[in-house]
Amino acid sequence: MMLGILRVPVQQAPGALVAIDRGLLVIVALGCFAAALVWARSARRVQRAVRRLEREAKTSMVSKESVELARSSLEKDLHTAVLYAILAFSAAVTAIAGHVLLALPFLLVLVPAGMSLRYGNRFLEAASLAEQRSQLERRAEEVLAQEELAPMRWSARLAPSQLPEIEGLEIGQVYQPGSGAMAGDFYDLARTGSQRVAAVIGDVTGHGIEPSITAFQVKYLLRVLLRQYRDPAQAFEELNAVLSAQGEPEELVSLFTVIFDMGASTLRFASAGHPPAWLWHQGDLQALRSTGPLLALDPRASYVSRELPMASGDVLLAYTDGLSEARAGDTQFGEDRVAGMLRREPQGDTTTLCKTLLSAAQDFAEGPLVDDVAILGIRCQ
């Protein structure tokens, strides 16, 4: 008798479903449709994150791995949304067409559909978190990019790769950052009058943002002072007073400045504790040594200038201590090696001379150069 009862629904519904079966299929169709909407919304949010990451990957702001992970999440959400949409459509068609055997598999779909509805908010929150994470990663990449670019941008201001062209002078320069975070070396070339041109090279002690700011300040304040004073020693004394008043005793500045007077065919220089520059003048090599102490060491310090004749073919070579203090064990590259290279190639291209000096110091040192290196080579034509 029980077997007969169980066979009744099947025998009574050869072409149409019992009402309750139709109702279940409608519920399944609606549940699958709702689940499809949940996953579609999740996919939409992830898609926005993917598009943004793809754009930023072109400028190397985010890694390719982040883009691939976002795409994988998008594909998963799209796959799930499409699956539920197909199931919703199939359940709806079966409910309309009707056959009891077709209804049984769709009843099992209620389990994942119910889970999608039950945890739908969690899925959407996860997608939102993924979108927020992509934004945070982008911001983190921007911060890192700015931190990496900051030293280069400072260096470009303090030691530019291109200096202004000055008629009558051939200019060569090179700059090599050391292992420190920020640069303290700087150089400059600027007109201070109709017939006068100032060349400057200097170094602020220490590493980091503070010495870089001081170097920037010294470079551009000195431009103003050299226009005001014809004598570089006077400009040094004014600059020393300003730096001393700032109360930063740990930031000492070595500085070498030379004024080329194109009309009088002379050069006038002053040096504040800077490594000696070298002047090749008519076959003779002369050291232009310090004419006063480091800037900011003594607020009452005095400086003197020296004037020398200038002739066509003369070469002035100035550098920061990162060059002469390059080390191989306890031995330094030294001033004599710098002078020797100028003595061997006094007629060579000034840019080539600067690059050759840097290469020689790098080859001499046992490891990477620790300190920044700036070199200026100037030939009178």
Side-chain angles (χ1 to χ4, degrees):
M1 182 176 180
M2 181 65 68
L3 291 174
I5 294 173
L6 290 174
R7 287 196 297 270
V8 169
V10 178
Q11 294 171 354
Q12 288 179 348
L17 293 170
V18 180
I20 189 172
D21 294 329
R22 289 179 180 274
L24 286 174
L25 281 176
V26 171
I27 293 173
V28 170
L30 293 175
C32 290
F33 179 73
L37 289 179
V38 169
W39 286 103
R41 290 179 61 192
S42 177
R44 185 179 179 184
R45 291 185 177 181
V46 176
Q47 185 182 39
R48 288 199 297 265
V50 169
R51 288 176 177 173
R52 182 169 55 253
L53 290 172
E54 288 176 340
R55 289 194 302 269
E56 293 168 355
K58 295 178 181 178
T59 58
S60 300
M61 293 181 65
V62 298
S63 64
K64 293 182 179 179
E65 290 78 7
S66 298
V67 177
E68 291 301 322
L69 286 173
R71 285 175 179 167
S72 177
S73 179
L74 173 61
E75 291 168 357
K76 177 195 69 177
D77 288 0
L78 286 174
H79 175 271
T80 307
V82 171
L83 175 63
Y84 276 118
I86 292 174
L87 289 174
F89 176 76
S90 301
V93 170
T94 303
I96 295 172
H99 196 288
V100 68
L101 295 179
L102 294 176
L104 295 178
F106 290 109
L107 295 177
L108 299 177
V109 177
L110 285 174
V111 177
M115 292 179 64
S116 294
L117 295 175
R118 172 66 178 81
Y119 300 106
N121 289 334
R122 185 178 300 178
F123 295 151
L124 292 175
E125 289 174 0
S128 180
L129 287 174
E131 186 177 15
Q132 293 175 12
R133 179 181 176 182
S134 71
Q135 294 174 348
L136 290 174
E137 288 180 351
R138 180 193 54 162
R139 292 170 185 168
E141 293 286 346
E142 289 175 349
V143 170
L144 290 175
Q146 290 174 357
E147 290 180 352
E148 292 176 356
L149 286 174
M152 291 186 292
R153 288 176 176 172
W154 271 108
S155 298
R157 292 290 187 92
L158 295 175
S161 58
Q162 295 292 330
L163 289 172
E165 294 185 3
I166 304 294
E167 185 178 356
L169 297 177
E170 177 193 331
I171 311 298
Q173 80 277 345
V174 69
Y175 170 75
Q176 171 67 46
S179 58
M182 299 288 283
D185 290 15
F186 62 94
Y187 53 70
D188 195 17
L189 185 72
R191 288 191 177 276
T192 59
S194 59
Q195 296 292 317
R196 296 193 308 277
V197 178
V200 175
I201 190 167
D203 183 14
V204 181
T205 58
H207 293 282
I209 185 62
E210 294 297 332
S212 293
I213 293 174
T214 300
F216 189 85
Q217 179 186 21
V218 169
K219 176 178 178 177
Y220 290 99
L221 181 57
L222 188 58
R223 274 194 184 185
V224 176
L225 293 174
L226 289 174
R227 287 181 178 274
Q228 184 176 354
Y229 301 102
R230 298 176 65 92
D231 185 0
Q234 287 183 281
F236 277 24
E237 290 178 357
E238 292 296 325
L239 182 59
N240 182 59
V242 173
L243 295 176
S244 299
Q246 290 181 349
E248 300 290 345
E250 70 281 0
E251 292 181 5
L252 303 177
V253 183
S254 73
L255 186 64
F256 174 84
T257 297
V258 56
I259 306 294
F260 295 95
D261 191 325
M262 313 301 286
S265 295
T266 61
L267 62 83
R268 179 181 290 268
F269 77 92
S271 176
H274 200 76
W278 294 95
L279 176 64
W280 176 265
H281 174 65
Q282 296 181 339
D284 182 40
L285 190 62
Q286 180 180 354
L288 308 185
R289 299 191 180 276
S290 177
T291 62
L294 294 168
L295 296 175
L297 182 64
D298 179 3
R300 294 178 297 276
S302 61
Y303 300 86
V304 297
S305 297
R306 295 194 174 98
E307 187 171 277
L308 298 170
M310 181 179 68
S312 177
D314 285 1
V315 179
L316 177 73
L317 180 66
Y319 54 91
T320 55
D321 59 9
L323 177 68
S324 56
E325 294 179 1
R327 287 183 173 275
D330 294 331
T331 305
Q332 292 186 346
F333 188 71
E335 301 170 4
D336 291 340
R337 285 186 175 87
V338 176
M341 296 193 70
L342 175 58
R343 184 180 289 110
R344 286 193 298 271
E345 296 291 339
Q347 305 303 322
D349 178 75
T350 53
T351 298
T352 302
L353 172 64
C354 294
K355 291 181 178 179
T356 301
L357 270 169
L358 177 60
S359 297
Q362 291 172 328
D363 293 340
F364 175 84
E366 293 180 339
L369 298 180
V370 177
D371 201 2
D372 310 318
V373 175
I375 308 173
L376 273 181
I378 304 173
R379 171 177 286 108
C380 300
Q381 297 176 328

